Amino acid sequence: MKLQKLLPNLSKSWLYTTAILAIGLLTYSAMLIIGIPSKLVVFLFATDSTFLFITILVLLYFAYRPSGWLGTLTSFSATLILFASQLSAVWRNAAGLNKTFSVGGLLPMSDAWNYYKEALRLLEGRDLSGAAAFRPLSHGVLATFLAVTQQNLQLTIAILVLIVAIACFLLAREIQQSHGTITATLVLTIIFFFYRTFIGTVMTENVGLALGAVGLGLLWRGTVRETINLCLLGIFLLTLALNARAGVFFILPALLLWGTWTFRGRSRFSTYFLIGGFSVILLGFIINSIVYKVIASHDALGNSNFSYTFYGLIVGGKWHTVFTDYPELRNLSDAEQSQKVYQLAFEVLRHDPLALVRGCFRAWKAFLGNDFVFSFAESVKINFILQVLSIIGIINCYRKRQSPMGSLMIAALIGIMLSIPFVPPWDGGIRVHAATIPIVALFPALGLHWIVTKCQWQPLLKTTHDQASPRILWLFAIALALLTFAGPLITNFLRQPTQLSEISCPEGLEVVYFRNHPGTSIHLIADQAMKRTLVPNVRISDLRNRLAKISPQYVNWGHELSQLKPNTTLIQKIDLKTREGINLVVHSKLLPKERGIVAACVQSKDIPIIFRDDYIGYQKLYFAKSIKLLSSK
């Protein structure tokens, strides 16, 4: 009898869930296909984000306020609309908020270009190398989505943003159930302002933030319900997040010690949590190691870039200071560089043991000062308010340090602060906190919760009791973990070498081979030919305006691209023969309409790129003179 009652309720629950998911996804897709109004684009790209921050917080509050399935629908749809609006603004403006990682609103630059071409190389039978090998989980996921979308970069980016949006929604709903609507929506708003800088890029922050948000959601629910297994699953997801986007690793042992003490019961400590926590953390690193060994090249060295950071920390410089001090290191392989830099760093420590101590205090000073922590808010006023609320939240958590929630936040804070010297602000900026930015966002939110509670503003403290949320949360978490682990392995297993029908080019030209697929290029259109940009079709004036504000290191690259004329297509692919990345300029009429493998006779030009003040490299730009479709598929 009870089973008969349960099944109809279960069916009805999943029916509502499916309907809400469908409505949210349709809304998300429609916003990206149709695009948002120009006035909203200007609003989302405002120099001072004070009014934007307040507006988003208020709108999210009213979207999350309703109860039941209506509240789930409005909150889910509002979250997806918010993230879709920012991505649409990037595609409408032919530019993201970050001046370094993309051009034309789509094509990757700098680190993002290296990650993208390495993912394409993986699909074509080559292993990850160089900087991409440092983060095999993130780039493996990127390659997986590129494979699923037939190398459609634009669709891949839309999927990555969607996954982050859903992860943030699930976290917000968990916080709402325990600490009220205003607390949840402030956390969501802060996370969004951090992430919007990376929306539209293929940076590792996408996967790191998604895993981190879901991991915190599980950890939060496990703490509120005092359920050990949920806490362990949350720590596992957080471990994957930190491997996908390296950051404050010391938070993991801090959380392990927290759980061992918090769930001790009448014992001195919880043996179950200690063993279980150590196991899930170890499992996260093992998964990263397995993916690394399968898809990374044998001569690559995971996380070898930490040696540069460590050297810069103790000598009072930055990560690239070692190359200024010892320029001959550039001639060594990654593994040899890392080993040599560690030797140089420890040699400094032998002569000056206090160098590391001074470096640590320098990092803490930079992190806590200069309005660094919430600098992504792009508003002096909001930054100050969030800092004040954070102090209130930390003080209140310390006062409640005997409670599971209070001790959780104090343990997380200790883990973050211990990690700061090894992810100093002057090297990675706030980017390195992608996996744990949801935890950082909790401190001001808990400070606001304390104020609202003291003032007895009950409407702001309204909570929800969505019974479907826990089930959806851990299902999504497991699916995301499987994607992170199995996706790259399956993609690597299914890849096949490409068979080419080679052609010859006239003297003075070289040949390149690439896959002609939609979503991997931008088409430059005359201003009078279209009213507004919508990637992949970009008005020439929008591109030039974006290039005028390009990162200083790419000023020569920007100058060259600004000379391009309408009816030109800019493509980023890899040469299927050499497996090297190519930036190709093609007259749009020459480009075949069919999908398939294309051969182009090209003329190359070396563009100077200022990687650092002391080092200038070159990046090739290829101009296609003729194109031939070799195979259609």
Side-chain angles (χ1 to χ4, degrees), residues 19-51:
I20 290 170
L21 180 63
I23 293 172
L25 293 179
L26 286 173
T27 305
Y28 180 85
S29 303
M31 293 196 66
L32 296 183
I33 294 172
I34 300 173
I36 61 175
S38 300
K39 292 183 178 179
L40 185 54
V41 174
V42 175
F43 185 52
L44 288 169
F45 278 85
T47 304
D48 187 338
S49 299
T50 305
F51 184 61

PDB file of all heavy atoms in Angstrom, residues 19-51:
ATOM      1  N   ALA A  19       9.809  18.976 -16.416  1.00  0.00           N
ATOM      2  CA  ALA A  19       9.189  20.152 -17.024  1.00  0.00           C
ATOM      3  C   ALA A  19       9.995  21.418 -16.709  1.00  0.00           C
ATOM      4  O   ALA A  19      10.223  22.264 -17.596  1.00  0.00           O
ATOM      5  CB  ALA A  19       7.755  20.305 -16.524  1.00  0.00           C
ATOM      6  N   ILE A  20      10.432  21.554 -15.461  1.00  0.00           N
ATOM      7  CA  ILE A  20      11.224  22.727 -15.061  1.00  0.00           C
ATOM      8  C   ILE A  20      12.553  22.755 -15.803  1.00  0.00           C
ATOM      9  O   ILE A  20      12.993  23.800 -16.292  1.00  0.00           O
ATOM     10  CB  ILE A  20      11.449  22.710 -13.533  1.00  0.00           C
ATOM     11  CG1 ILE A  20      10.131  22.987 -12.815  1.00  0.00           C
ATOM     12  CG2 ILE A  20      12.505  23.744 -13.126  1.00  0.00           C
ATOM     13  CD1 ILE A  20      10.203  22.764 -11.321  1.00  0.00           C
ATOM     14  N   LEU A  21      13.186  21.580 -15.918  1.00  0.00           N
ATOM     15  CA  LEU A  21      14.451  21.492 -16.638  1.00  0.00           C
ATOM     16  C   LEU A  21      14.270  21.872 -18.100  1.00  0.00           C
ATOM     17  O   LEU A  21      15.081  22.625 -18.672  1.00  0.00           O
ATOM     18  CB  LEU A  21      15.014  20.072 -16.519  1.00  0.00           C
ATOM     19  CG  LEU A  21      16.347  19.811 -17.222  1.00  0.00           C
ATOM     20  CD1 LEU A  21      17.448  20.672 -16.619  1.00  0.00           C
ATOM     21  CD2 LEU A  21      16.719  18.330 -17.125  1.00  0.00           C
ATOM     22  N   ALA A  22      13.202  21.386 -18.715  1.00  0.00           N
ATOM     23  CA  ALA A  22      12.948  21.675 -20.127  1.00  0.00           C
ATOM     24  C   ALA A  22      12.703  23.167 -20.347  1.00  0.00           C
ATOM     25  O   ALA A  22      13.239  23.761 -21.291  1.00  0.00           O
ATOM     26  CB  ALA A  22      11.755  20.860 -20.615  1.00  0.00           C
ATOM     27  N   ILE A  23      11.895  23.771 -19.483  1.00  0.00           N
ATOM     28  CA  ILE A  23      11.601  25.202 -19.616  1.00  0.00           C
ATOM     29  C   ILE A  23      12.872  26.027 -19.449  1.00  0.00           C
ATOM     30  O   ILE A  23      13.134  26.973 -20.201  1.00  0.00           O
ATOM     31  CB  ILE A  23      10.526  25.630 -18.586  1.00  0.00           C
ATOM     32  CG1 ILE A  23       9.186  24.971 -18.917  1.00  0.00           C
ATOM     33  CG2 ILE A  23      10.379  27.151 -18.555  1.00  0.00           C
ATOM     34  CD1 ILE A  23       8.129  25.173 -17.863  1.00  0.00           C
ATOM     35  N   GLY A  24      13.678  25.665 -18.438  1.00  0.00           N
ATOM     36  CA  GLY A  24      14.921  26.399 -18.211  1.00  0.00           C
ATOM     37  C   GLY A  24      15.877  26.292 -19.380  1.00  0.00           C
ATOM     38  O   GLY A  24      16.455  27.297 -19.821  1.00  0.00           O
ATOM     39  N   LEU A  25      16.035  25.091 -19.929  1.00  0.00           N
ATOM     40  CA  LEU A  25      16.951  24.887 -21.049  1.00  0.00           C
ATOM     41  C   LEU A  25      16.461  25.586 -22.310  1.00  0.00           C
ATOM     42  O   LEU A  25      17.262  26.143 -23.073  1.00  0.00           O
ATOM     43  CB  LEU A  25      17.124  23.389 -21.318  1.00  0.00           C
ATOM     44  CG  LEU A  25      17.834  22.586 -20.224  1.00  0.00           C
ATOM     45  CD1 LEU A  25      17.922  21.120 -20.616  1.00  0.00           C
ATOM     46  CD2 LEU A  25      19.220  23.148 -19.961  1.00  0.00           C
ATOM     47  N   LEU A  26      15.149  25.568 -22.552  1.00  0.00           N
ATOM     48  CA  LEU A  26      14.598  26.269 -23.716  1.00  0.00           C
ATOM     49  C   LEU A  26      14.822  27.771 -23.602  1.00  0.00           C
ATOM     50  O   LEU A  26      15.174  28.441 -24.585  1.00  0.00           O
ATOM     51  CB  LEU A  26      13.109  25.956 -23.856  1.00  0.00           C
ATOM     52  CG  LEU A  26      12.757  24.553 -24.367  1.00  0.00           C
ATOM     53  CD1 LEU A  26      11.254  24.306 -24.287  1.00  0.00           C
ATOM     54  CD2 LEU A  26      13.244  24.377 -25.805  1.00  0.00           C
ATOM     55  N   THR A  27      14.625  28.297 -22.408  1.00  0.00           N
ATOM     56  CA  THR A  27      14.853  29.720 -22.183  1.00  0.00           C
ATOM     57  C   THR A  27      16.312  30.079 -22.388  1.00  0.00           C
ATOM     58  O   THR A  27      16.642  31.089 -23.028  1.00  0.00           O
ATOM     59  CB  THR A  27      14.412  30.118 -20.764  1.00  0.00           C
ATOM     60  OG1 THR A  27      13.052  29.732 -20.560  1.00  0.00           O
ATOM     61  CG2 THR A  27      14.543  31.615 -20.552  1.00  0.00           C
ATOM     62  N   TYR A  28      17.187  29.264 -21.846  1.00  0.00           N
ATOM     63  CA  TYR A  28      18.637  29.472 -21.980  1.00  0.00           C
ATOM     64  C   TYR A  28      19.042  29.474 -23.454  1.00  0.00           C
ATOM     65  O   TYR A  28      19.759  30.366 -23.920  1.00  0.00           O
ATOM     66  CB  TYR A  28      19.365  28.366 -21.217  1.00  0.00           C
ATOM     67  CG  TYR A  28      20.872  28.441 -21.259  1.00  0.00           C
ATOM     68  CD1 TYR A  28      21.576  29.233 -20.364  1.00  0.00           C
ATOM     69  CD2 TYR A  28      21.605  27.680 -22.180  1.00  0.00           C
ATOM     70  CE1 TYR A  28      22.969  29.288 -20.383  1.00  0.00           C
ATOM     71  CE2 TYR A  28      22.990  27.726 -22.208  1.00  0.00           C
ATOM     72  CZ  TYR A  28      23.667  28.531 -21.316  1.00  0.00           C
ATOM     73  OH  TYR A  28      25.038  28.592 -21.343  1.00  0.00           O
ATOM     74  N   SER A  29      18.566  28.468 -24.194  1.00  0.00           N
ATOM     75  CA  SER A  29      18.913  28.358 -25.604  1.00  0.00           C
ATOM     76  C   SER A  29      18.363  29.521 -26.415  1.00  0.00           C
ATOM     77  O   SER A  29      19.065  30.069 -27.290  1.00  0.00           O
ATOM     78  CB  SER A  29      18.374  27.036 -26.171  1.00  0.00           C
ATOM     79  OG  SER A  29      18.874  25.935 -25.447  1.00  0.00           O
ATOM     80  N   ALA A  30      17.115  29.918 -26.118  1.00  0.00           N
ATOM     81  CA  ALA A  30      16.493  31.007 -26.868  1.00  0.00           C
ATOM     82  C   ALA A  30      17.260  32.315 -26.689  1.00  0.00           C
ATOM     83  O   ALA A  30      17.440  33.077 -27.646  1.00  0.00           O
ATOM     84  CB  ALA A  30      15.042  31.178 -26.426  1.00  0.00           C
ATOM     85  N   MET A  31      17.734  32.567 -25.487  1.00  0.00           N
ATOM     86  CA  MET A  31      18.472  33.806 -25.231  1.00  0.00           C
ATOM     87  C   MET A  31      19.780  33.840 -26.004  1.00  0.00           C
ATOM     88  O   MET A  31      20.195  34.901 -26.478  1.00  0.00           O
ATOM     89  CB  MET A  31      18.741  33.971 -23.738  1.00  0.00           C
ATOM     90  CG  MET A  31      17.502  34.210 -22.912  1.00  0.00           C
ATOM     91  SD  MET A  31      17.897  34.840 -21.283  1.00  0.00           S
ATOM     92  CE  MET A  31      18.575  36.442 -21.678  1.00  0.00           C
ATOM     93  N   LEU A  32      20.416  32.692 -26.148  1.00  0.00           N
ATOM     94  CA  LEU A  32      21.682  32.652 -26.879  1.00  0.00           C
ATOM     95  C   LEU A  32      21.467  32.729 -28.386  1.00  0.00           C
ATOM     96  O   LEU A  32      22.264  33.332 -29.111  1.00  0.00           O
ATOM     97  CB  LEU A  32      22.447  31.377 -26.530  1.00  0.00           C
ATOM     98  CG  LEU A  32      22.899  31.240 -25.073  1.00  0.00           C
ATOM     99  CD1 LEU A  32      23.700  29.957 -24.884  1.00  0.00           C
ATOM    100  CD2 LEU A  32      23.736  32.445 -24.639  1.00  0.00           C
ATOM    101  N   ILE A  33      20.390  32.133 -28.865  1.00  0.00           N
ATOM    102  CA  ILE A  33      20.121  32.133 -30.306  1.00  0.00           C
ATOM    103  C   ILE A  33      19.619  33.499 -30.771  1.00  0.00           C
ATOM    104  O   ILE A  33      20.084  34.038 -31.784  1.00  0.00           O
ATOM    105  CB  ILE A  33      19.093  31.038 -30.657  1.00  0.00           C
ATOM    106  CG1 ILE A  33      19.697  29.656 -30.388  1.00  0.00           C
ATOM    107  CG2 ILE A  33      18.656  31.161 -32.121  1.00  0.00           C
ATOM    108  CD1 ILE A  33      18.705  28.520 -30.513  1.00  0.00           C
ATOM    109  N   ILE A  34      18.697  34.074 -30.011  1.00  0.00           N
ATOM    110  CA  ILE A  34      18.105  35.355 -30.394  1.00  0.00           C
ATOM    111  C   ILE A  34      18.997  36.517 -29.992  1.00  0.00           C
ATOM    112  O   ILE A  34      19.156  37.492 -30.728  1.00  0.00           O
ATOM    113  CB  ILE A  34      16.704  35.514 -29.757  1.00  0.00           C
ATOM    114  CG1 ILE A  34      15.783  34.393 -30.239  1.00  0.00           C
ATOM    115  CG2 ILE A  34      16.116  36.882 -30.066  1.00  0.00           C
ATOM    116  CD1 ILE A  34      14.448  34.346 -29.546  1.00  0.00           C
ATOM    117  N   GLY A  35      19.627  36.418 -28.829  1.00  0.00           N
ATOM    118  CA  GLY A  35      20.473  37.500 -28.333  1.00  0.00           C
ATOM    119  C   GLY A  35      19.695  38.476 -27.479  1.00  0.00           C
ATOM    120  O   GLY A  35      18.466  38.603 -27.592  1.00  0.00           O
ATOM    121  N   ILE A  36      20.390  39.190 -26.604  1.00  0.00           N
ATOM    122  CA  ILE A  36      19.749  40.150 -25.715  1.00  0.00           C
ATOM    123  C   ILE A  36      19.793  41.545 -26.337  1.00  0.00           C
ATOM    124  O   ILE A  36      20.608  41.812 -27.227  1.00  0.00           O
ATOM    125  CB  ILE A  36      20.424  40.158 -24.335  1.00  0.00           C
ATOM    126  CG1 ILE A  36      21.911  40.555 -24.462  1.00  0.00           C
ATOM    127  CG2 ILE A  36      20.302  38.794 -23.674  1.00  0.00           C
ATOM    128  CD1 ILE A  36      22.615  40.694 -23.143  1.00  0.00           C
ATOM    129  N   PRO A  37      18.935  42.463 -25.890  1.00  0.00           N
ATOM    130  CA  PRO A  37      18.925  43.832 -26.440  1.00  0.00           C
ATOM    131  C   PRO A  37      20.244  44.558 -26.201  1.00  0.00           C
ATOM    132  O   PRO A  37      20.964  44.279 -25.246  1.00  0.00           O
ATOM    133  CB  PRO A  37      17.782  44.498 -25.670  1.00  0.00           C
ATOM    134  CG  PRO A  37      16.928  43.380 -25.170  1.00  0.00           C
ATOM    135  CD  PRO A  37      17.855  42.245 -24.910  1.00  0.00           C
ATOM    136  N   SER A  38      20.537  45.510 -27.067  1.00  0.00           N
ATOM    137  CA  SER A  38      21.794  46.265 -26.993  1.00  0.00           C
ATOM    138  C   SER A  38      21.927  47.011 -25.670  1.00  0.00           C
ATOM    139  O   SER A  38      23.024  47.115 -25.113  1.00  0.00           O
ATOM    140  CB  SER A  38      21.897  47.238 -28.166  1.00  0.00           C
ATOM    141  OG  SER A  38      21.876  46.545 -29.386  1.00  0.00           O
ATOM    142  N   LYS A  39      20.817  47.561 -25.163  1.00  0.00           N
ATOM    143  CA  LYS A  39      20.878  48.309 -23.910  1.00  0.00           C
ATOM    144  C   LYS A  39      21.289  47.403 -22.748  1.00  0.00           C
ATOM    145  O   LYS A  39      21.999  47.836 -21.835  1.00  0.00           O
ATOM    146  CB  LYS A  39      19.534  48.968 -23.618  1.00  0.00           C
ATOM    147  CG  LYS A  39      19.176  50.094 -24.587  1.00  0.00           C
ATOM    148  CD  LYS A  39      17.875  50.761 -24.202  1.00  0.00           C
ATOM    149  CE  LYS A  39      17.560  51.927 -25.154  1.00  0.00           C
ATOM    150  NZ  LYS A  39      16.273  52.580 -24.813  1.00  0.00           N
ATOM    151  N   LEU A  40      20.845  46.159 -22.785  1.00  0.00           N
ATOM    152  CA  LEU A  40      21.221  45.224 -21.724  1.00  0.00           C
ATOM    153  C   LEU A  40      22.702  44.848 -21.844  1.00  0.00           C
ATOM    154  O   LEU A  40      23.381  44.640 -20.825  1.00  0.00           O
ATOM    155  CB  LEU A  40      20.348  43.969 -21.799  1.00  0.00           C
ATOM    156  CG  LEU A  40      20.537  42.935 -20.672  1.00  0.00           C
ATOM    157  CD1 LEU A  40      20.370  43.581 -19.307  1.00  0.00           C
ATOM    158  CD2 LEU A  40      19.563  41.777 -20.848  1.00  0.00           C
ATOM    159  N   VAL A  41      23.221  44.793 -23.064  1.00  0.00           N
ATOM    160  CA  VAL A  41      24.645  44.532 -23.266  1.00  0.00           C
ATOM    161  C   VAL A  41      25.476  45.623 -22.606  1.00  0.00           C
ATOM    162  O   VAL A  41      26.443  45.351 -21.889  1.00  0.00           O
ATOM    163  CB  VAL A  41      24.981  44.443 -24.767  1.00  0.00           C
ATOM    164  CG1 VAL A  41      26.495  44.328 -24.966  1.00  0.00           C
ATOM    165  CG2 VAL A  41      24.280  43.257 -25.408  1.00  0.00           C
ATOM    166  N   VAL A  42      25.083  46.872 -22.838  1.00  0.00           N
ATOM    167  CA  VAL A  42      25.787  48.011 -22.239  1.00  0.00           C
ATOM    168  C   VAL A  42      25.722  47.935 -20.720  1.00  0.00           C
ATOM    169  O   VAL A  42      26.709  48.189 -20.014  1.00  0.00           O
ATOM    170  CB  VAL A  42      25.190  49.340 -22.735  1.00  0.00           C
ATOM    171  CG1 VAL A  42      25.839  50.521 -22.027  1.00  0.00           C
ATOM    172  CG2 VAL A  42      25.374  49.469 -24.250  1.00  0.00           C
ATOM    173  N   PHE A  43      24.571  47.558 -20.192  1.00  0.00           N
ATOM    174  CA  PHE A  43      24.375  47.460 -18.747  1.00  0.00           C
ATOM    175  C   PHE A  43      25.282  46.392 -18.149  1.00  0.00           C
ATOM    176  O   PHE A  43      25.908  46.594 -17.096  1.00  0.00           O
ATOM    177  CB  PHE A  43      22.902  47.132 -18.469  1.00  0.00           C
ATOM    178  CG  PHE A  43      22.542  47.123 -17.007  1.00  0.00           C
ATOM    179  CD1 PHE A  43      22.846  48.203 -16.186  1.00  0.00           C
ATOM    180  CD2 PHE A  43      21.897  46.040 -16.455  1.00  0.00           C
ATOM    181  CE1 PHE A  43      22.509  48.203 -14.837  1.00  0.00           C
ATOM    182  CE2 PHE A  43      21.552  46.015 -15.113  1.00  0.00           C
ATOM    183  CZ  PHE A  43      21.862  47.103 -14.307  1.00  0.00           C
ATOM    184  N   LEU A  44      25.398  45.253 -18.830  1.00  0.00           N
ATOM    185  CA  LEU A  44      26.214  44.149 -18.320  1.00  0.00           C
ATOM    186  C   LEU A  44      27.709  44.416 -18.439  1.00  0.00           C
ATOM    187  O   LEU A  44      28.514  43.765 -17.770  1.00  0.00           O
ATOM    188  CB  LEU A  44      25.860  42.855 -19.062  1.00  0.00           C
ATOM    189  CG  LEU A  44      24.497  42.249 -18.718  1.00  0.00           C
ATOM    190  CD1 LEU A  44      24.138  41.145 -19.700  1.00  0.00           C
ATOM    191  CD2 LEU A  44      24.475  41.711 -17.302  1.00  0.00           C
ATOM    192  N   PHE A  45      28.089  45.371 -19.285  1.00  0.00           N
ATOM    193  CA  PHE A  45      29.489  45.716 -19.454  1.00  0.00           C
ATOM    194  C   PHE A  45      29.828  47.063 -18.815  1.00  0.00           C
ATOM    195  O   PHE A  45      30.842  47.674 -19.144  1.00  0.00           O
ATOM    196  CB  PHE A  45      29.859  45.751 -20.943  1.00  0.00           C
ATOM    197  CG  PHE A  45      30.153  44.404 -21.522  1.00  0.00           C
ATOM    198  CD1 PHE A  45      29.134  43.591 -21.982  1.00  0.00           C
ATOM    199  CD2 PHE A  45      31.455  43.931 -21.592  1.00  0.00           C
ATOM    200  CE1 PHE A  45      29.398  42.340 -22.509  1.00  0.00           C
ATOM    201  CE2 PHE A  45      31.728  42.681 -22.120  1.00  0.00           C
ATOM    202  CZ  PHE A  45      30.702  41.880 -22.580  1.00  0.00           C
ATOM    203  N   ALA A  46      29.001  47.521 -17.881  1.00  0.00           N
ATOM    204  CA  ALA A  46      29.220  48.813 -17.231  1.00  0.00           C
ATOM    205  C   ALA A  46      30.560  48.829 -16.497  1.00  0.00           C
ATOM    206  O   ALA A  46      30.979  47.831 -15.912  1.00  0.00           O
ATOM    207  CB  ALA A  46      28.086  49.106 -16.254  1.00  0.00           C
ATOM    208  N   THR A  47      31.240  49.974 -16.558  1.00  0.00           N
ATOM    209  CA  THR A  47      32.545  50.110 -15.901  1.00  0.00           C
ATOM    210  C   THR A  47      32.423  49.992 -14.389  1.00  0.00           C
ATOM    211  O   THR A  47      33.200  49.296 -13.732  1.00  0.00           O
ATOM    212  CB  THR A  47      33.185  51.457 -16.266  1.00  0.00           C
ATOM    213  OG1 THR A  47      33.275  51.565 -17.686  1.00  0.00           O
ATOM    214  CG2 THR A  47      34.577  51.572 -15.665  1.00  0.00           C
ATOM    215  N   ASP A  48      31.429  50.684 -13.823  1.00  0.00           N
ATOM    216  CA  ASP A  48      31.143  50.593 -12.389  1.00  0.00           C
ATOM    217  C   ASP A  48      29.945  49.664 -12.218  1.00  0.00           C
ATOM    218  O   ASP A  48      28.848  49.951 -12.701  1.00  0.00           O
ATOM    219  CB  ASP A  48      30.839  51.974 -11.812  1.00  0.00           C
ATOM    220  CG  ASP A  48      30.696  51.951 -10.289  1.00  0.00           C
ATOM    221  OD1 ASP A  48      30.416  50.868  -9.732  1.00  0.00           O
ATOM    222  OD2 ASP A  48      30.864  53.005  -9.665  1.00  0.00           O
ATOM    223  N   SER A  49      30.149  48.550 -11.531  1.00  0.00           N
ATOM    224  CA  SER A  49      29.119  47.516 -11.443  1.00  0.00           C
ATOM    225  C   SER A  49      28.251  47.622 -10.202  1.00  0.00           C
ATOM    226  O   SER A  49      27.549  46.669  -9.862  1.00  0.00           O
ATOM    227  CB  SER A  49      29.782  46.133 -11.485  1.00  0.00           C
ATOM    228  OG  SER A  49      30.489  45.953 -12.685  1.00  0.00           O
ATOM    229  N   THR A  50      28.283  48.753  -9.520  1.00  0.00           N
ATOM    230  CA  THR A  50      27.511  48.898  -8.276  1.00  0.00           C
ATOM    231  C   THR A  50      26.024  48.656  -8.516  1.00  0.00           C
ATOM    232  O   THR A  50      25.397  47.821  -7.848  1.00  0.00           O
ATOM    233  CB  THR A  50      27.711  50.296  -7.668  1.00  0.00           C
ATOM    234  OG1 THR A  50      29.097  50.540  -7.474  1.00  0.00           O
ATOM    235  CG2 THR A  50      26.986  50.403  -6.336  1.00  0.00           C
ATOM    236  N   PHE A  51      25.452  49.377  -9.470  1.00  0.00           N
ATOM    237  CA  PHE A  51      24.018  49.262  -9.746  1.00  0.00           C
ATOM    238  C   PHE A  51      23.685  47.888 -10.313  1.00  0.00           C
ATOM    239  O   PHE A  51      22.644  47.300  -9.997  1.00  0.00           O
ATOM    240  CB  PHE A  51      23.578  50.358 -10.714  1.00  0.00           C
ATOM    241  CG  PHE A  51      22.106  50.380 -10.980  1.00  0.00           C
ATOM    242  CD1 PHE A  51      21.200  50.586  -9.949  1.00  0.00           C
ATOM    243  CD2 PHE A  51      21.614  50.162 -12.263  1.00  0.00           C
ATOM    244  CE1 PHE A  51      19.828  50.590 -10.183  1.00  0.00           C
ATOM    245  CE2 PHE A  51      20.254  50.168 -12.513  1.00  0.00           C
ATOM    246  CZ  PHE A  51      19.349  50.385 -11.469  1.00  0.00           C
TER     247      PHE A  51
END
